[in-house]
């Protein structure tokens, strides 16, 4: 089959690889009908997530048709079923899964021993996302082996297109969890940094959950335009003073809830000198991540407020003012998304027409064009916001 | 390469049979090659400046050559990073500085004038490569991309709000959602 394979920094190729096979009775194999490129994939593209190995297959936003089912998954799945695959692989029965904390499932990480050494205690297995999360081959491919498939799937009801449900795999529940973590009250202002696909989903979620105002921050006009279409007040951080404007819009008190949908690759520019220093440290490996957005949120957030962080961070950061977090009594919520915890509810909202996540798609191409689309998405060319690949 | 990639696979995981089209273009490869060249040259300048000053008749200017070497290494590292375009820009600035230094050494009384001429010719050649790489990188990775973008198989139709029933109806439409206890934070005002 063909698959997008990581060969090194900025080197992803559409290779021909051997087909996956059932390895465990709980496995299933799907024929991929649609998959997407995520902002997290860009961190891998830039080799900023440790423990990627040449030969790793990319992709964690995947759906398709079941073509083979292991004996232990047969009660839950059958040939021909259409499923969306959550990017967090979950067993459904460990202590964390029973609490709904699927992204830290205790069973599914194949490299748990090694990952435990790095993390203290490791999280779940993830598709297409480095050895520390189990080194599972990803779904930017023609076929995908789904481990723990009896649990790790969302069945697609008839009448919905691939585009409408694909993002149940990651970005819709990720934006949703980010907003839910804000425990939104009707008088709340929710400020969201980053209007990439995750930010866009967080904006829609905060609007649906009834925030008084949602403020979205980015610098790219096409993304800010899409944010405004979803009901957000927009700030361009290259033109506006973010801190001043956020305070103005909240009667001088700051937003009660802040969401970081940017993560470790905050935009580097002279206007934000701290990002230059972070970038330099990153190059010489003195710091893993560029935490500009964290600094900004911690500073502007209203005391006793919440910082919700879906943006991915990989390791060590510098100059983050713990003193402000402590003295202002801020709550931090973060994590990879517990996808399955939210998807039944979200699927219903899609069916009822409350939300249609396909609005975010700007490009939809064949798998062979995937490697080039990593460049287009990364370089923000051609108005690119979300790429869907159709193998 | 594929052999190594394949031997590191877990049992059962797909193995590479044949490599296909990739994300690295000719511009990236040229930029990276120039980056390695920078690092090599920079290390020589840093570690053996005397050799260079002697062959160019610039004795006594070892400190300057070392400084140039440090600059070269920095440009090289940048050219190998994802900020490759910036690396190439800094290489172009470096080329100009190299020319200035060599022109200053082109005095009539310099017995090594011929070597200096040769060095100037080499810098000119590398500058051409830097210009070519820099422009090709801009065409490929600049926000206004000059190269064609793969065409969508199914172009998007419809609005960008994400709310089929309209924005006004969407506001607060999910207030029925019960935030689970472990996601609650702020106590409600009484
Ligand atoms: N927690 C999870 O489970 C989960 C799931 C999916 C994605 N993510 C992470 O979410 C983040 C966003 O993903 P995405 O797909 O939207 O990526 P993306 O790269 O498309 O979007 C990031 C956006 O942030 C903007 N940005 C950069 N610096 C900024 C700044 N200083 N202030 C405001 N905006 C800034 C960029 O212009 C860009 O539009 C990534 O870190 C990704 O890894 C996390
Ligand atoms: Zn993702
Ligand atoms: Zn589990």
């Amino acid at each position: 089959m063909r698959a997008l394979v990581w060969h090194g920094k900025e080197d992803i190729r559409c290779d021909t690889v051997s087909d996956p096979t059932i390895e465990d009775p709980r496995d299933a194999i799907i024929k991929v009908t649609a998959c997407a490129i995520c902002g997290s994939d860009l961190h891998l593209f830039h080799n900023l997530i440790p423990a990627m190995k040449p030969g790793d297959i990319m992709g964690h936003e995947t759906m398709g048709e079941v073509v083979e089912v292991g004996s232990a998954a047969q009660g839950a799945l059958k040939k021909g079923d259409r499923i969306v695959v959550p990017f967090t692989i979950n067993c459904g029965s460990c202590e964390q899964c029973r609490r709904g904390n699927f992204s830290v499932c205790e069973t599914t990480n194949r490299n748990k021993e090694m990952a435990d050494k790095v993390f203290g205690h490791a999280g779940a297995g993830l598709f297409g996302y480095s050895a520390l999360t189990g080194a599972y081959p990803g779904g930017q491919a023609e076929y995908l082996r789904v481990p723990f498939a009896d649990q790790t799937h969302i069945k697609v009801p008839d009448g919905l297109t691939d585009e409408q449900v694909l993002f149940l795999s990651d970005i819709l529940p990720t934006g949703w969890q980010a907003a839910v973590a804000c425990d939104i009250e009707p008088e709340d202002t929710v400020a969201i940094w980053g209007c990439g696909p995750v930010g866009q989903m967080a904006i829609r979620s905060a609007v649906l959950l009834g925030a008084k105002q949602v403020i979205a921050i980015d610098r790219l006009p096409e993304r800010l335009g899409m944010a405004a279409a979803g009901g957000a007040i927009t700030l361009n951080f290259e033109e506006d003073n973010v801190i001043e404007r956020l305070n103005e819009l909240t009667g001088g008190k700051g937003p009660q809830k802040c969401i970081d949908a940017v993560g470790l690759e905050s935009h580097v520019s002279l206007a934000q000198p701290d990002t230059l220093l972070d970038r330099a440290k990153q190059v010489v490996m003195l710091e893993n991540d560029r935490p500009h957005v964290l600094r900004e949120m911690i500073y502007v957030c209203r005391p006793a407020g919440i910082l919700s962080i879906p943006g991915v961070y990989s390791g060590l950061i510098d100059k983050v003012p713990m003193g402000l977090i402590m003295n202002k009594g801020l709550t931090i919520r973060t994590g990879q998304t517990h996808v399955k915890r939210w998807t039944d509810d979200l699927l219903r909202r899609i069916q009822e027409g409350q939300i249609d996540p396909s609005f975010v798609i700007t490009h939809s191409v064949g798998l062979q064009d995937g490697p080039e689309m990593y460049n287009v998405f990364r370089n923000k060319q051609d108005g690119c916001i979300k790429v869907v690949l159709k193998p | 390469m594929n052999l190594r990639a394949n031997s590191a696979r877990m049992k059962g995981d797909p193995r590479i049979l044949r490599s296909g089209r990739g994300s690295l273009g000719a511009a990236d490869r040229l930029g990276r090659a120039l980056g390695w060249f920078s690092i090599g040259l920079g290390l020589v300048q840093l570690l053996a400046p005397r050799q260079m000053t002697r062959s160019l008749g610039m004795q006594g200017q070892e400190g300057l050559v070392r400084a140039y070497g440090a600059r070269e290494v920095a440009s090289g590292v940048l050219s190998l990073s994802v900020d490759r375009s910036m690396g190439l820009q800094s290489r172009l600035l470096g080329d100009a500085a190299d020319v200035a230094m060599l022109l200053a050494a082109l005095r009539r009384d310099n017995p090594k004038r011929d070597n200096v001429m040769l060095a100037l010719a080499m810098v000119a050649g590398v500058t051409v490569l830097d210009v070519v790489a820099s422009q090709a990188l801009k065409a490929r990775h600049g926000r206004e991309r000059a190269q064609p973008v793969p065409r969508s198989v199914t172009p998007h139709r419809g609005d960008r709000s994400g709310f089929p029933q309209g924005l006004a109806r969407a506001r607060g439409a999910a207030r029925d959602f019960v935030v689970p206890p472990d996601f609650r934070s702020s106590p409600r005002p009484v």
Side-chain angles (χ1 to χ4, degrees):
Chain A
M1 66 166 183
R2 289 171 316 148
L4 301 192
V5 175
W6 190 93
H7 284 263
K9 182 156 61 83
E10 292 179 278
D11 187 358
I12 286 172
R13 303 181 202 158
C14 184
D15 288 349
T16 305
V17 304
S18 51
D19 290 341
T21 50
I22 300 272
E23 292 174 34
D24 182 277
R26 289 181 76 176
D27 289 353
I29 308 272
I30 63 165
K31 181 177 189 322
V32 178
T33 54
C35 54
I37 303 179
C38 176
S40 302
D41 291 328
L42 291 184
H43 306 324
L44 302 171
F45 190 51
H46 291 162
N47 201 15
L48 290 171
I49 306 290
M52 280 298 281
K53 290 211 209 79
D56 287 348
I57 299 179
M58 301 286 298
H60 59 265
E61 303 185 354
T62 318
M63 67 176 296
E65 188 190 317
V66 175
V67 291
E68 230 182 303
V69 191
S71 54
Q74 271 166 7
L77 282 174
K78 60 177 188 318
K79 255 195 208 177
D81 282 348
R82 251 175 102 213
I83 61 169
V84 173
V85 183
F87 81 98
T88 37
I89 305 171
N90 59 283
C91 76
S93 50
C94 72
E95 195 184 316
Q96 294 287 9
C97 282
R98 276 185 278 125
R99 290 169 178 271
N101 295 335
F102 298 119
S103 79
V104 287
C105 167
E106 294 167 338
T107 328
T108 55
N109 192 332
R110 300 196 278 184
N111 289 332
K112 193 162 165 42
E113 219 167 287
M114 162 178 125
D116 275 346
K117 290 214 175 78
V118 177
F119 288 99
H121 306 279
L126 309 180
F127 289 99
Y129 207 76
S130 104
L132 290 175
T133 53
Y136 286 103
Q140 288 166 11
E142 287 176 309
Y143 293 90
L144 175 70
R145 175 175 81 93
V146 183
F148 301 89
D150 55 321
Q151 293 291 325
T152 309
H153 73 264
I154 302 150
K155 267 203 198 137
V156 182
D158 290 337
L160 294 172
T161 65
D162 280 10
E163 284 72 12
Q164 282 175 300
V165 292
L166 173 60
F167 302 132
L168 286 170
S169 58
D170 178 351
I171 55 171
L172 179 58
T174 295
W176 181 259
Q177 179 173 312
V180 169
C182 288
D183 192 9
I184 293 171
E185 295 169 49
E187 64 278 15
D188 277 350
T189 292
V190 181
I192 300 176
W193 278 255
C195 298
V198 169
Q200 299 292 345
M201 296 301 163
I203 292 166
R204 273 56 178 190
S205 304
V207 166
L208 286 170
L209 288 165
K212 184 173 117 203
Q213 55 179 358
V214 178
I215 306 173
I217 305 154
D218 206 300
R219 69 187 175 93
L220 303 166
E222 64 276 17
R223 295 184 179 211
L224 289 169
M226 189 182 265
I233 299 166
T234 58
L235 300 184
N236 184 330
F237 69 83
E238 287 189 325
E239 294 164 5
D240 303 308
N241 181 323
V242 172
I243 304 285
E244 271 175 23
R245 290 286 292 130
L246 285 175
N247 282 331
E248 272 167 33
L249 286 161
T250 51
K253 291 181 145 196
Q256 293 94 330
K257 312 289 161 73
C258 297
I259 296 179
D260 171 358
V262 175
L264 66 97
E265 295 194 74
S266 185
H267 182 64
V268 179
S269 81
L270 272 176
Q272 299 150 323
D274 59 319
T275 60
L276 290 176
L277 194 61
D278 286 327
R279 179 71 189 117
K281 287 187 190 164
Q282 214 174 24
V283 170
V284 292
M285 289 186 268
L286 284 175
E287 185 180 22
N288 297 100
D289 310 325
R290 305 198 289 268
H292 173 82
V293 171
L294 292 181
R295 295 182 189 120
E296 219 160 63
M297 303 203 315
I298 292 165
Y299 186 76
V300 78
C301 188
R302 189 176 300 192
I306 297 176
L307 310 177
S308 166
I309 310 175
V312 162
Y313 288 85
S314 79
L316 304 175
I317 50 175
D318 281 354
K319 307 283 181 295
V320 170
M322 191 60 204
L324 299 197
I325 300 176
M326 190 275 159
N327 285 288
K328 294 171 78 175
L330 303 179
T331 299
I332 296 181
R333 291 183 174 282
T334 181
Q336 301 283 358
T337 304
H338 307 309
V339 177
K340 277 276 281 184
R341 186 161 178 181
W342 319 110
T343 44
D344 286 350
D345 179 66
L346 289 171
L347 182 59
R348 174 180 63 83
R349 294 181 194 280
I350 294 173
Q351 282 182 296
E352 288 173 1
Q354 228 175 59
I355 183 163
D356 178 356
S358 69
F359 75 90
V360 77
I361 303 170
T362 52
H363 293 71
S364 164
V365 303
L367 194 63
Q368 73 284 356
D369 289 324
E372 203 46 43
M373 289 315 291
Y374 270 85
N375 283 314
V376 174
F377 178 45
R378 189 270 308 268
N379 301 333
K380 324 282 192 257
Q381 294 164 329
D382 200 36
C384 184
I385 300 179
K386 188 72 176 177
V387 180
V388 170
L389 305 170
K390 307 223 108 181
Chain B
M1 183 67 178
N2 287 348
L3 201 73
R4 196 162 59 93
N6 283 341
S7 62
R9 295 297 93 201
M10 288 201 195
K11 194 174 136 286
D13 284 356
R15 281 165 166 56
I16 303 172
L17 306 174
R18 210 166 348 100
S19 252
R21 237 199 286 179
S23 52
L24 275 181
D28 301 298
R29 286 178 216 283
L30 179 57
R32 282 191 182 190
L34 288 163
W36 284 116
F37 171 74
S38 260
I39 290 176
L41 179 62
L43 287 179
V44 171
Q45 289 177 316
L46 271 173
L47 302 174
R50 197 147 299 145
Q51 257 171 11
M52 189 163 267
T53 52
R54 222 180 290 140
S55 65
L56 293 174
M58 291 172 53
Q59 285 90 338
Q61 306 212 46
E62 286 74 19
L64 182 70
V65 170
R66 278 219 177 86
Y68 271 54
R71 187 214 69 216
E72 241 359 298
V73 170
S75 307
V77 170
L78 209 53
S79 304
L80 292 176
S81 81
V82 296
D83 299 308
R84 186 159 310 112
S85 300
M86 254 202 275
L88 268 289
Q89 300 289 326
S90 78
R91 275 195 47 80
L92 280 168
L93 289 178
D95 292 335
D98 286 346
V99 169
M101 177 176 83
L102 290 168
L103 283 178
L106 206 58
R107 307 173 317 262
R108 292 210 171 278
D109 59 351
N110 184 349
K112 298 286 169 63
R113 258 191 98 180
D114 288 353
N115 285 352
V116 177
M117 292 288 274
L118 194 67
L120 265 171
M122 274 161 51
V123 172
V126 174
T127 305
V128 170
L129 286 180
D130 285 334
V131 170
V132 169
S134 186
Q135 285 181 346
L137 283 173
K138 188 155 173 260
R140 185 172 169 72
H141 296 299
R143 190 134 137 82
E144 302 303 323
R145 181 182 166 111
Q147 294 177 357
V149 172
R151 235 179 354 136
S152 276
V153 282
T154 43
H156 177 87
R157 290 196 186 74
D159 85 321
R160 294 287 185 197
S161 76
F163 301 125
Q165 298 160 3
L167 178 58
R169 276 190 68 185
R171 291 198 187 273
R175 285 227 177 95
D176 62 316
F177 180 79
V178 182
V179 175
D182 58 328
F183 275 72
R184 295 229 143 185
S185 295
S186 38
R188 300 281 187 278
V190 278

